[in-house]
Amino acid sequence: MATNIIEASIACLAVTVLFCEVARRVVVKITSKGYYEGLLMEIISTFQLCACTHELKLLGDYGIVDQQIGLTLTYVMTVVHLLTFGTATCNPSASLEQIYRRKLAIKSAILRIACQFLSAAVAKLVMHFTWSFAFSELHVRHSLTGFDCISGLHTSSIYNGAAVEFCCAFAVQSAVIKIQEVKTKSKVFFVAAVVTFVVFAGGHLTGAVFNPALAFSIQFPCRGNTFLENATVYGLGPMLGKTLLQQILVSTKDFFEPK
């Protein structure tokens, strides 16, 4: 039974990625490279990230997969996302970081963040619709609960949870910055390994989401915590992690640059 459930979930993941990849190729053909193409890519890729994570979270919440299989699926899907997202970041924290580094105008960043949250909300609704077709026993069970979910926050306080998300965002962003000068695609596998390790280390505490838009899709609807508590953990935590890292990089650069 579990094998059939996993196979059905993998099929859902594959169809989601294929659909989004087709959509990205269509966007490239019908739009000129520029502002609107970037926004559409953010919408499509954020949808892919959130929809796939919903399916993976469902497998974990119901105990269908053990930790080893869960981490393997996380690694594989992270590689797939990194190879297909292109220039899309799918993360509001990344957009705010680009403002900080003066690589993105405030108006453009706000619009991009709005697209990311909108896509995250749509992904949740689409997955509820998809699960209602009951492609597996797991989908049937989840549909019978009204798609109810329990919060992934399991720390003694929301501040501890925010600290975990802070560390997750800091670690992943550090890896991304460290490897960004590498030209080969091997860097994708390195970053995916870091993400998988972070999920292993912090997943049992907060889910190790480190992405406010993704958290809005998979964590905010769940019972157990208020909107403000979720915003503190999954919004403030990752943004502070990225901001601190950027400040450290700027300070270090200023310190070592010759006067």
Side-chain angles (χ1 to χ4, degrees), residues 142-156:
H142 195 46
S143 298
L144 291 176
T145 67
F147 308 115
D148 186 34
C149 62
I150 301 174
S151 173
L153 183 59
H154 304 294
T155 55
S156 57

Side-chain angles (χ1 to χ4, degrees), residues 130-259:
T130 302
W131 290 331
S132 67
F133 285 98
F135 292 116
S136 72
E137 180 64 27
L138 176 61
H139 295 163
V140 174
R141 289 162 59 187
H142 195 46
S143 298
L144 291 176
T145 67
F147 308 115
D148 186 34
C149 62
I150 301 174
S151 173
L153 183 59
H154 304 294
T155 55
S156 57
S157 72
I158 61 171
Y159 303 107
N160 289 340
V164 172
E165 289 293 309
F166 172 97
C167 293
C168 290
F170 189 94
V172 172
Q173 187 63 18
S174 297
V176 171
I177 292 175
K178 183 68 176 177
I179 204 70
Q180 65 183 357
E181 295 181 359
V182 178
K183 301 300 181 182
T184 64
K185 287 189 176 181
S186 61
K187 63 182 181 180
V188 168
F189 303 101
F190 172 76
V191 174
V194 173
V195 170
T196 304
F197 175 77
V198 165
V199 171
F200 167 75
H204 64 290
L205 296 172
T206 62
V209 184
F210 53 89
N211 182 331
L214 177 59
F216 180 72
S217 186
I218 68 171
Q219 297 285 12
F220 277 52
C222 299
R223 55 187 171 87
N225 294 100
T226 66
F227 182 91
L228 182 59
E229 289 172 338
N230 282 327
T232 301
V233 174
Y234 299 108
L236 186 61
M239 286 190 289
L240 287 178
K242 283 181 174 285
T243 301
L244 177 61
L245 178 59
Q246 289 303 319
Q247 188 60 48
I248 291 174
L249 291 174
V250 171
S251 300
T252 304
K253 181 179 178 181
D254 292 340
F255 180 80
F256 287 104
E257 278 186 345
K259 301 299 182 182

